[in-house]
């Protein structure tokens, strides 16, 4: 029986039919209100927020019938673009304007909900405090921003609504004087020789990019400036920009039957009852699909890992593994059909503890004959990958030491928890090509990888990445695209598949949990003589990213400290790792990509050593830290299964990061004050400070490639087509800023279109902290070529005006949307466009650029944390986080600081609250945001970001990475601060009250 309802939405009346149990959310989406987003089943994400009679409610938890007789408001009512041709509109609401200006929008998925919650607050409290703002938006989770900029946006909007003038957003970063006329460090040697691990001599060369920009840093108008994101205006309006926002006629909806068992054979499977349900279009099992083995890891060819997955198999390897696919007329019908599929399982012994995986006689998780090994994988031993790296003479280093420190550490499995779940839509286009519109980081990898799985050539597949509501590595995977594709092939109809939040927890990818042993040799004066790490890494039920994630654990963390004196020239380092299968959900990529797992043990270990030897913890670290002009020690030993090439560290601002970070957090003043650690009136509370030093990488050298194309339009604007994928990081914006700088135009004149395998140039995708560096250099390459063509055309035009000219094209300056000759004569870019397209010697001025780097210049950072510990309960409250980071030149201070703030917030969860635990049957404890705690706006510490700019000479704009290094230092800095506060060491994160209390009371 259907209900006929009259709903008042945005002051319009809608007559709708709804099932008795149908949600308001579903009706709103059906009516086209795309700003209302699905984030979870329980209303914890808040992305489904609307206003009902002016109050925020969760539309997913509200029945459509309950909304009858009430006023419903979505963000579509609040404002719109001010200029729509001849029609002038009222424009964006002041709240929307400030969210745009302040950089409060990253992925934008939760933005409409935050703004609606803020609107309700300002309707009753026009002059709110920061605490009130944080409380008001605390019902909307944001995984991107750290909430600092959304709070700032609301406070600024409140002031403007009261008629109070607000200051400019964020000033540009001042150009360091030493950059002027000398944009790189001449103290770096041109080359250095080094012994490889096999004894051969290798030469590392200084790398200075051949790509040049014609303007000097002090004259830049776009790069280094806090520009508004190019996608902010559409996101702040809640426009249909995400995968699930796109509707197709005759759409089917997919569901998957997931395994209730951790390890079992499927003895029989019957689908007749499911197919009898009205509205069910297809049910697919392993019997229906070709048996094609593949890896789900979204990486370049050849994928550096074993091939160990099937779309559907006759064996399940974890609770949440796939058993069958269903397509139906609605999600509800599809879900019902999965419950009618009859499956007989033969249970097998599971492995849940990575320490059991390689024991003699252990169950073999991957016994399929099609398994394809990579490097040292060995499925019979449940070994997905093995790493053995020796640099220098470790045993001699230990002999030279006065002290040897050994300890064991553990890091947990955690979820990326992007608020937009995995989502995909597949359909056949008019040319019988399969179109895959998917929320992915790696559209070109998806196209290449899915082709053999579904039996189509690459040329008959088009992958489109629209806006992505957060990814953080979790979408660097061929995870659900094949489900929808198989069902479209089976039915001939469009198919949409969107994960629920529970499915994200049980059937997507998460960070590799690891057990890590450290052994370090140190002299009495603090000189490190040898450093050793062994990691036992749990890759779960498949080996995607197994080798490369864990390789990064050693490659980045163990490279930071090389020793002092002779050990600096010839460090003694060992990194060994075994990456093993277990019957738990597969691990995979997550922001930081193995590096946070390395810095937790390393930086906790360094703190213990400094304390034991009574050394200043930061001076001890800096004494042994890698410096500019030195060779990255791992560059001579490992390169993700390829031949290593030595690299010289050309820029390193770590010393200033430490100095500036110490000053910002008040390190010297607080630690020298004997009373600072005590909280007046609360003797059970103790304060503490902690720090951690970290380095990351920037792209994968000799492998990662990005492309870009630029086309001049009639009005002097440009189309920038890039394969790079913006996940909310602002990469579309910073790449456009680079193009605008080279071309001498405002950012508004760069129209960005990204990530469509039919129309944009290839890009390996958003991972490895590479987009600004790799894709940015490709943009510069294309822009330089277009700029040269425009200069040539400008000379032609000026010659046509004045006869001969006494200057060359390379003397033409591009500035203020004009080509300006040395004598001051100018030609507008619109004139150049019209001349080239219509008037004489016609041509389309356009170019394609690409870039691959021979180096991976590391960013460096000093992370500081201030905590308060309740020594009676073990509760840890993080009061302040300060990160001073050397990420090269900062192209956009607003988007970059947003990356740091959001990264520190994710890392804060890794430090004190986030973990995934499984029971004795392999069933997940955490399946939703009620049990998996993400920090809310009102729970946040003070966040502060300091940029220590260096000019990286291997890039035309001097940039390095910033997105992932933010994940590395928070957890160990908090752990060190807890030690400073109360004297206990917690060696297994997260640092929960239980663990602290057990250490305090000796009841571990």
């Amino acid at each position: 029986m259907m209900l006929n309802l009259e709903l008042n939405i945005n002051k319009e009346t809608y007559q709708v039919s709804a099932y008795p149990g149908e949600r308001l959310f579903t009706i709103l989406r059906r009516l086209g209100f795309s700003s209302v987003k699905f984030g979870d089943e329980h209303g914890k994400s808040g992305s489904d927020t609307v206003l009902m009679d002016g109050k925020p409610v969760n539309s997913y938890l509200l029945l459509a019938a309950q909304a009858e007789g009430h006023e419903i408001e979505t963000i579509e009512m609040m404002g719109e673009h001010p200029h729509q041709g001849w029609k002038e509109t009222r424009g964006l609401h002041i709240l929307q304007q400030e969210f745009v200006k302040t950089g409060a929008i990253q992925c934008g998925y939760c933005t409409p909900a935050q703004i609606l919650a803020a609107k309700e607050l300002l309707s009753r409290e026009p002059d709110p405090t920061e605490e009130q703002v944080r409380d008001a938006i605390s019902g909307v989770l944001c995984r991107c921003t750290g909430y600092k900029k959304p709070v700032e946006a609301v406070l600024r909007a409140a002031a403007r609504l009261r008629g109070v003038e607000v200051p400019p957003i964020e000033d540009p970063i001042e150009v360091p004087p030493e950059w002027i006329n000398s944009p790189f460090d001449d103290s770096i040697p041109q080359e250095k020789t080094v012994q490889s691990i096999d004894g051969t001599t290798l030469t590392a060369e200084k790398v200075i990019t051949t790509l040049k920009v014609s303007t000097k840093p002090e004259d830049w108008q776009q790069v280094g400036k806090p520009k508004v994101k190019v996608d902010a205006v559409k996101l702040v309006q809640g426009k249909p920009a995400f995968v699930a926002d796109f509707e197709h006629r005759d759409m089917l909806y997919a569901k998957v039957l997931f395994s209730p068992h951790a390890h079992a054979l499927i003895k029989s499977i019957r689908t007749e009852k499911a197919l009898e349900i009205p509205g069910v279009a297809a049910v697919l099992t392993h019997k229906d699909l070709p048996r094609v083995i593949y890896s789900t890891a979204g990486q370049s060819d050849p994928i550096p890992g074993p091939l160990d997955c099937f779309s559907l198999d006759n064996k399940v390897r974890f609770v949440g593994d796939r058993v069958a696919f269903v397509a139906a007329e609605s999600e509800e019908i599809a879900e019902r059909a999965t419950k009618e599929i009859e499956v007989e399982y033969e249970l097998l012994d599971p492995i849940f503890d990575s320490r059991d995986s390689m024991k003699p006689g252990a169950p073999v998780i991957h016994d399929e004959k099609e398994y394809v090994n990579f490097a040292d994988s060995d499925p019979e031993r449940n070994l997905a990958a093995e790493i053995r790296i020796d640099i220098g003479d470790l045993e001699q280093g230990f002999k030279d030491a006065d002290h040897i420190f050994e300890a064991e550490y553990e890091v947990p499995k955690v979820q990326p928890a992007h608020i937009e779940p995995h989502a995909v839509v597949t359909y056949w286009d008019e040319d019988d090509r399969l179109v895959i519109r998917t929320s992915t980081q790696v559209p070109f990898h998806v196209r290449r990888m899915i082709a053999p799985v579904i039996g189509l050539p690459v040329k008959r597949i088009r992958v489109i990445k629209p806006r992505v509501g957060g990814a953080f590595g979790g979408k660097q995977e061929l995870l659900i695209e094949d489900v929808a594709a198989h069902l479209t092939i089976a039915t001939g109809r469009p198919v949409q598949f969107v994960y629920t939040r529970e499915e994200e927890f049980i059937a997507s990818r998460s960070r590799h949990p690891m057990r890590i042993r450290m052994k370090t040799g140190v002299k009495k004066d603090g000189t490190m003589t040898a450093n050793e790490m062994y990691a036992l890494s749990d890759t779960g039920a498949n080996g995607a990213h197994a080798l490369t994630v864990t390789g990064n654990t050693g490659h980045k963390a163990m490279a930071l400290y090389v020793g002092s004196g002779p050990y600096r020239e010839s460090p003694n380092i060992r990194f060994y790792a075994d990456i093993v299968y277990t019957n738990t959900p597969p691990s995979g990529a997550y922001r930081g990509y193995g590096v946070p797992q390395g810095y937790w043990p390393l930086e906790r270990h360094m703190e213990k050593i400094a304390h034991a030897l009574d050394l200043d913890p930061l001076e001890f670290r800096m004494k042994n830290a890698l410096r500019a002009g030195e060779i990255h020690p791992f560059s001579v030993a490992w390169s993700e299964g390829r031949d290593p090439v030595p690299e010289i560290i050309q820029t390193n601002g770590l010393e200033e990061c430490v100095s500036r970070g110490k000053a910002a957090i008040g390190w010297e003043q607080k630690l020298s004050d004997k009373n600072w650690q005590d909280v007046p009136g609360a003797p059970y509370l103790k304060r503490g400070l902690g720090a951690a030093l970290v380095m990351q990488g920037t792209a994968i050298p000799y492998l990662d490639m990005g492309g870009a194309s630029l086309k001049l339009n009639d009005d002097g604007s440009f189309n920038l087509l890039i394969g790079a994928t913006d996940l909310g990081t602002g990469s579309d914006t910073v790449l456009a800023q680079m193009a605008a700088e080279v071309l001498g135009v405002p950012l508004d004149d760069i129209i960005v279109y990204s990530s469509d395998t039919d129309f944009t140039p290839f890009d390996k995708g958003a991972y490895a902290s590479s987009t600004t560096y790799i894709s940015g250099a490709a943009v510069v390459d294309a822009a330089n070529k277009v700029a040269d063509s425009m200069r040539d055309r400008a000379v032609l035009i000026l010659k046509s005006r004045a006869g001969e000219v006494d200057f060359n094209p390379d003397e033409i300056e591009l500035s203020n949307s004009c080509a300006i000759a040395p004598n001051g004569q100018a030609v507008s870019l619109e004139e150049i466009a019209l001349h080239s397209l219509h008037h004489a010697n016609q041509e389309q001025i356009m170019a394609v650029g690409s870039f691959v780097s021979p180096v991976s210049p590391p960013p460096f950072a000093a992370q500081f944390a201030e905590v308060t510990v309740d020594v009676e309960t073990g509760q840890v409250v993080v009061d302040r986080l300060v990160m001073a980071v050397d990420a090269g030149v900062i192209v956009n201070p607003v988007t970059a600081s947003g990356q740091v703030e959001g990264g520190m917030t994710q890392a804060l969860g890794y430090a004190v609250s986030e973990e995934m635990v499984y029971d004795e049957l392999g069933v997940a404890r955490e399946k939703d945001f009620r049990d998996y705690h993400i920090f809310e706006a009102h729970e946040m510490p003070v966040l502060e970001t300091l940029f220590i700019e260096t000019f990286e000479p291997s890039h035309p704009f001097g940039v390095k990475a910033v997105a992932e290094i933010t994940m590395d230092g928070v957890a160990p800095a908090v752990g060190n601060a807890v030690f400073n506060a109360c004297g206990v060491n917690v060696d297994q994160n997260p640092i929960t009250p239980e663990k602290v209390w057990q250490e305090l009371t000796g009841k571990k």
Side-chain angles (χ1 to χ4, degrees), residues 45-76:
S45 70
S47 58
D48 60 335
T49 297
V50 298
L51 298 182
M52 187 165 78
D53 298 332
K55 302 296 183 184
V57 297
N58 293 110
S59 62
Y60 196 83
L61 301 184
L62 201 68
L63 297 179
Q66 292 176 287
E68 194 170 36
H70 298 277
E71 297 279 341
I72 303 298
E73 182 179 344
T74 72
I75 205 168
E76 281 87 350

Side-chain angles (χ1 to χ4, degrees), residues 381-425:
R381 297 167 55 211
N382 291 317
L383 184 67
E386 178 184 273
I387 300 171
R388 299 291 186 266
I389 298 172
D390 283 292
I391 301 168
D393 188 340
L394 193 78
E395 299 310 318
Q396 184 59 51
F398 284 129
K399 289 178 183 178
D400 295 346
D402 296 319
H403 303 276
I404 294 177
F405 296 88
E406 297 185 72
E408 295 189 5
Y409 304 87
E410 192 171 345
V411 292
K413 196 181 191 81
V414 292
Q415 247 283 317
H418 30 77
I419 306 303
E420 180 204 29
H422 283 83
V424 62
V425 173

Side-chain angles (χ1 to χ4, degrees), residues 369-599:
K369 66 180 185 299
E370 297 92 343
Y371 187 99
V372 178
N373 281 293
F374 183 85
D376 298 311
S377 60
D378 183 355
E380 292 184 2
R381 297 167 55 211
N382 291 317
L383 184 67
E386 178 184 273
I387 300 171
R388 299 291 186 266
I389 298 172
D390 283 292
I391 301 168
D393 188 340
L394 193 78
E395 299 310 318
Q396 184 59 51
F398 284 129
K399 289 178 183 178
D400 295 346
D402 296 319
H403 303 276
I404 294 177
F405 296 88
E406 297 185 72
E408 295 189 5
Y409 304 87
E410 192 171 345
V411 292
K413 196 181 191 81
V414 292
Q415 247 283 317
H418 30 77
I419 306 303
E420 180 204 29
H422 283 83
V424 62
V425 173
T426 55
Y427 58 94
W428 293 110
D429 72 7
E430 65 276 16
D431 295 314
D432 293 313
R433 298 174 71 234
L434 186 71
V435 180
I436 303 173
R437 188 183 295 271
T438 179
S439 181
T440 182
Q441 298 174 227
V442 286
F444 284 91
H445 290 343
V446 166
R447 181 180 65 169
R448 184 190 86 247
M449 293 160 57
I450 202 173
V453 175
I454 60 177
L456 282 174
V458 167
K459 64 187 177 184
R460 287 191 60 196
I461 301 170
R462 177 186 178 190
V463 177
I464 303 169
K465 177 215 72 80
R467 304 317 300 164
V468 174
F472 317 118
K475 295 174 182 176
Q476 190 193 335
E477 206 84 11
L478 178 61
L479 187 69
I480 65 171
E481 291 84 357
D482 61 315
V483 176
H486 284 307
L487 289 167
T488 287
I489 290 170
T491 63
R493 292 172 63 181
V495 173
Q496 181 187 98
F497 184 29
V498 179
Y499 261 4
T500 65
R501 185 54 55 184
E502 179 174 341
E503 289 164 355
E504 286 289 345
F505 278 103
I506 69 168
S508 68
R509 300 297 181 259
S510 51
R511 177 164 287 155
H512 288 69
M514 298 184 191
R515 301 177 186 274
I516 296 173
R517 293 198 303 268
M518 295 292 305
K519 181 179 179 182
T520 306
V522 187
K523 288 185 175 293
K524 293 176 183 177
D525 66 355
T527 297
M528 290 174 59
T529 62
N531 204 15
E532 178 180 9
M533 176 186 285
Y534 171 76
L536 178 62
S537 179
D538 182 352
T539 191
N542 78 36
H545 304 278
L547 174 70
T548 47
V549 160
T550 311
N552 245 17
T553 302
H555 184 275
K556 303 301 189 294
M558 292 295 282
L560 180 56
Y561 299 115
V562 293
S564 187
Y567 305 100
R568 180 171 294 283
E569 288 299 317
S570 182
N572 302 311
I573 303 171
R574 171 176 288 169
F575 176 65
Y576 285 5
D578 293 311
I579 305 95
V580 297
Y581 292 109
T582 61
N583 292 112
T584 57
S587 305
Y590 180 17
R591 188 177 189 176
Y593 204 77
V595 184
Q597 293 98 308
Y599 276 111

Side-chain angles (χ1 to χ4, degrees), residues 852-887:
V852 60
S853 177
V855 292
S856 174
F860 294 87
Q863 177 72 61
F864 294 85
E866 181 177 327
V867 305
T868 302
V869 179
D870 186 323
V871 296
E872 293 181 355
T873 67
Q875 183 182 24
V876 176
V877 175
V878 180
D879 301 308
R880 187 180 186 88
L881 293 173
V882 175
M883 187 174 212
V885 58
D886 159 26

